[in-house]
Amino acid sequence: MKKIYLLPLTLCLSFFSCDFDQFPTESISYEDVFRDPLKVEGYITGLYSYLPNEGSYHSVAGAMLSSASDESASTAPSDITLLTDGSLTARSNNPDANWGNSYQYLADINLGLENLHLLTNERQNTIDQYIGEMKFLRAYIHFELVKRYGGIPLANKLFSLDDLNIERNSFEECINFILEDCNEAANLLPDPNNIAFGRASNGAALALKSRVLLYAASPLYNSSGINNDNNPLICYGNYDPDRWELAATAAHEVISLNYYNIFQTRAITDNLNDSQVAQYGEENYRKLFTTITGNKELIFSRTASLNNIIEKDNTPVGFTNGNGRTSPSQQMVDAYGMIDGKYIEDSSYDKEQPYLKRDPRFEASIFYNGKKWPGRAIETFQGGEDMKGTIYSKTGYYLSKFSEPTVVISGSQTNTYHCFPMIRYAEILLNYAEAMNNAYGPDTDPKGYGLTARDALKQIRARVLRPQHTDVTGVTTKEQMNKAIKHERQVELAFEEHRYFDLKRWKEAQNILSKPLMGVIIQKIQDSYTYDYSYVAETRQFQNRLYFYPISQSEMSKNKALVNNPGW
């Protein structure tokens, strides 16, 4: 009788990595699981446990993935530097590699898809939902691999231990397969009103499709490749403007569900003063990541039980139990604009009072010198409470985003919920804006979708800015709008694991990620401060070959049919 093992991945039928010595002796049959509605429900629920949850912000070698980009540095030493200093090799333990575990997980998904027919005493709509969920998860994991490696061997079925030499599929074949799973999942899954929070809905499947098509239309893939050699494993081999139209249509499919919106606790109006805009905007943005009930911005999100992990991880080190694990860069701080919606270079920004009248998303995301936090103001000047000890901020900043100010992390501790938004509506609007602009320009809507690229940006910015300031002023051309969209994406989705891959898909990583990561040195002189912005927190190096990760030497040894990526 065939056996299925239920810890921690349900079965190791991956055609790359199996360690049979680790299997438990207890086992049950396929029939025991897939004929029992309760066990099948548990099996499907268990498949979600592989995905990142709210405790996985620091998921890459103890660091955030933001510290592989220009967003931040890891405060404590971390192997994330393998991605930033040019030292990664095919024999390195890549901190962001997820090859072997992903294929084990995909085997579990395919096991469910191939055996769900045994569940005969369940309603068809429930069975359809299970199939839809598994196809969504299969598409999601495939895409996580593709955006790291390019074309991969498709895990579209269960593989036996005899299937040891499987060639990589082309990038185009992988994208087509992922889109097929997304479409099938969207047709089978219930709408967001009729499925539990944290489970995939038809909106989640369409949103994933939007992300996939945006990547596929982007310069890294919608081209002859990084070396202009038309390598089918990492690109289409040609540029096709229709790919932007497909991406725009996919984003519009999500928007036209008329279910999702930009989360706000209080509307911002033109008659509010700067202080009120700052207060309401910070609250609107901060509460997005701790509010579950009624939060229609979250398309696909992971949560955990009530805790204060995020607050302890991110609170500056001068606070009891504060670990301050992430140090945002000066580049990231400078990316946040002003409360009038303008960039710092276009507004009343003062380098001697650098944190006044900034975009409320800055207030909700960055612990800066003088920021008020329960207990006291943040002190990141030299000798300040948050710049003492053996490990403290590398840049003069700590990460505030995702933290709830009312949570107590010492003494009589308190907890809250946190949301890890794997896909949220603001991303879809940004996807739409980028695709529409590249297909048609900033102010054209030839398909009659009812929304231009500019309109989409204004919807996002309305969460934190007065209506009169939501437009990106001085932007008239496609090139100018592309710059504005990239800027808005950098700020809106900061620290949410987008920036590193965005810079790659735009083919801008080699330039931006090879620049030094900057910080600030702040000196306190009586009651005033001086700021030295020339401080280099980390030197960085991004090699052209890092646009795609190497397949590790261990995986290459197991599967002789694999061909590694260029330069590796």
Side-chain angles (χ1 to χ4, degrees):
M1 179 179 290
K2 294 180 179 179
K3 302 293 183 181
I4 173 174
Y5 302 88
L6 298 177
L7 291 173
L9 295 164
T10 47
L11 185 66
C12 181
L13 284 181
S14 163
F15 47 90
F16 293 112
S17 303
C18 288
D19 185 354
F20 291 101
D21 293 335
Q22 300 302 312
F23 279 175
T25 55
E26 302 83 4
S27 60
I28 57 178
S29 69
Y30 290 165
E31 288 80 4
D32 287 338
V33 173
F34 291 106
R35 291 189 191 280
D36 185 329
L38 289 178
K39 288 187 173 69
V40 171
E41 169 64 21
Y43 188 90
I44 302 298
T45 301
L47 290 175
Y48 286 89
S49 65
Y50 174 85
L51 300 172
N53 59 38
E54 62 82 24
S56 297
Y57 290 104
H58 301 287
S59 59
V60 184
M64 296 181 72
L65 189 60
S66 63
S67 294
S69 77
D70 61 341
E71 291 175 307
S72 68
S74 177
T75 303
S78 166
D79 284 346
I80 195 74
T81 55
L82 287 169
L83 302 178
T84 64
D85 64 6
S87 61
L88 183 69
T89 71
R91 295 184 180 275
S92 302
N93 183 22
N94 181 349
D96 191 40
N98 60 357
W99 186 281
N101 286 342
S102 292
Y103 277 108
Q104 291 181 19
Y105 179 47
L106 288 168
D108 285 353
I109 294 171
N110 285 329
L111 180 72
L113 286 169
E114 293 189 18
N115 287 279
L116 200 59
H117 67 276
L118 297 171
L119 185 63
T120 57
N121 56 337
E122 184 59 274
R123 294 177 302 174
Q124 188 59 48
N125 63 337
T126 300
I127 293 173
D128 287 345
Q129 176 184 318
Y130 290 159
I131 295 171
E133 288 182 272
M134 287 188 283
K135 294 221 167 186
F136 168 82
L137 293 171
R138 187 168 71 174
Y140 193 98
I141 296 304
H142 270 97
F143 185 62
E144 287 299 303
L145 284 167
V146 167
K147 76 182 186 182
R148 288 169 170 82
Y149 297 97
I152 57 170
L154 288 173
N156 54 4
K157 63 178 181 178
L158 277 176
F159 290 88
S160 73
L161 296 178
D162 295 327
D163 297 319
L164 296 178
N165 296 308
I166 310 294
E167 294 182 350
R168 296 171 66 180
N169 290 82
S170 70
F171 172 79
E172 183 172 8
E173 289 170 337
C174 290
I175 293 298
N176 289 343
F177 174 74
I178 293 168
L179 293 175
E180 181 179 349
D181 265 1
C182 287
N183 287 328
E184 291 181 10
N187 288 331
L188 292 169
L189 288 168
D191 64 54
N193 280 314
N194 293 300
I195 196 162
F197 183 85
R199 302 284 283 259
S201 65
N202 65 341
L206 293 175
L208 178 58
K209 177 181 174 182
S210 164
R211 179 185 290 178
V212 172
L213 283 170
L214 183 78
Y215 271 68
S218 298
L220 182 61
Y221 310 103
N222 191 7
S223 66
S224 57
I226 53 174
N227 297 320
N228 295 315
D229 58 0
N230 300 315
N231 185 338
L233 292 176
I234 59 174
C235 67
Y236 281 108
N238 70 308
Y239 173 75
D240 186 347
D242 290 347
R243 295 186 181 117
W244 287 115
E245 293 188 17
L246 290 172
T249 299
H252 177 254
E253 285 186 84
V254 183
I255 296 168
S256 65
L257 292 175
N258 292 319
Y259 176 84
Y260 302 107
N261 56 40
I262 294 296
F263 176 82
Q264 284 184 299
T265 59
R266 288 192 278 191
I268 295 179
T269 59
D270 282 331
N271 64 341
L272 297 179
N273 61 38
D274 284 351
S275 177
Q276 291 171 315
V277 172
Q279 178 188 349
Y280 295 1
E282 179 178 359
E283 181 180 289
N284 285 343
Y285 192 67
R286 191 181 292 280
K287 292 290 185 182
L288 162 64
F289 304 101
T290 58
T291 302
I292 296 175
T293 303
N295 189 344
K296 290 190 174 183
E297 183 163 345
L298 301 174
I299 298 177
F300 185 55
S301 181
R302 304 296 292 149
T303 62
S305 58
L306 287 164
N307 63 62
N308 58 15
I309 295 172
I310 298 302
E311 284 73 23
K312 288 181 177 178
D313 278 349
N314 292 332
T315 298
V317 298
F319 290 79
T320 301
N321 293 330
N323 294 311
R325 294 172 62 175
T326 300
S327 303
S329 67
Q330 189 65 49
Q331 287 101 316
M332 188 66 241
V333 169
D334 289 347
Y336 292 100
M338 305 298 288
I339 206 163
D340 61 3
K342 296 179 181 179
Y343 304 146
I344 61 172
E345 60 267 27
D346 300 327
S347 189
S348 56
Y349 173 71
D350 182 355
K351 285 188 176 183
E352 300 306 314
Q353 294 182 304
Y355 313 128
L356 292 180
K357 296 187 177 182
R358 299 296 295 271
D359 184 320
R361 288 172 293 189
F362 168 76
E363 291 288 342
S365 302
I366 306 295
F367 282 122
Y368 58 86
N369 186 59
K371 179 173 178 60
K372 295 180 180 178
W373 200 246
R376 61 173 172 83
I378 307 300
E379 296 183 357
T380 55
F381 57 84
Q382 296 299 291
E385 289 298 316
D386 301 306
M387 297 294 279
K388 293 179 179 180
T390 56
I391 297 177
Y392 49 82
S393 173
K394 289 183 178 180
T395 61
Y397 304 101
Y398 291 96
L399 180 65
S400 170
K401 186 173 178 175
F402 312 121
S403 292
E404 169 54 51
T406 61
V407 168
V408 179
I409 64 172
S410 63
S412 299
Q413 299 185 25
T414 60
N415 303 298
T416 190
Y417 285 109
H418 299 89
C419 307
F420 183 75
M422 302 178 75
I423 313 176
R424 61 183 176 97
Y425 188 58
E427 179 198 342
I428 300 303
L429 289 173
L430 285 162
N431 294 353
Y432 180 84
E434 186 175 342
M436 285 290 286
N437 183 57
N438 280 283
Y440 311 117
D443 298 299
T444 305
D445 177 23
K447 300 288 186 178
Y449 292 149
L451 199 68
T452 65
R454 189 186 303 274
D455 294 334
L457 282 196
K458 290 172 70 173
Q459 284 192 22
I460 297 166
R461 289 159 62 87
R463 187 206 316 267
V464 295
L465 300 173
R466 298 180 184 91
Q468 62 181 306
H469 295 146
T470 57
D471 195 6
V472 281
T473 57
V475 171
T476 57
T477 68
K478 181 183 292 188
E479 291 72 26
Q480 290 170 333
M481 181 57 79
N482 262 336
K483 182 179 179 181
I485 291 167
K486 291 175 181 179
H487 195 119
E488 192 66 25
R489 192 173 177 97
Q490 179 184 11
V491 169
E492 177 65 28
L493 302 180
F495 308 102
E496 295 180 44
E497 301 192 352
H498 288 278
R499 177 71 173 170
Y500 183 61
F501 294 107
D502 279 344
L503 289 172
K504 286 185 175 185
R505 69 179 178 85
W506 293 327
K507 293 178 72 172
E508 296 176 0
Q510 191 167 15
N511 178 40
I512 293 176
L513 299 185
S514 288
K515 294 179 179 179
L517 194 83
M518 305 303 290
V520 63
I521 297 293
I522 306 173
Q523 300 285 354
K524 184 177 183 181
I525 303 173
Q526 295 182 344
D527 292 329
S528 62
Y529 301 95
T530 64
Y531 303 87
D532 179 2
Y533 299 103
S534 65
Y535 173 64
V536 174
E538 282 186 359
T539 57
R540 297 287 181 92
Q541 180 184 149
F542 185 93
Q543 299 168 329
N544 196 57
R545 65 182 185 172
L546 199 55
Y547 276 104
F548 296 93
Y549 288 159
I551 302 171
S552 72
Q553 191 60 51
S554 62
E555 298 297 345
M556 296 283 290
S557 298
K558 295 170 187 174
N559 179 3
K560 304 298 184 183
L562 288 176
V563 175
N564 219 328
N565 278 322
W568 301 103

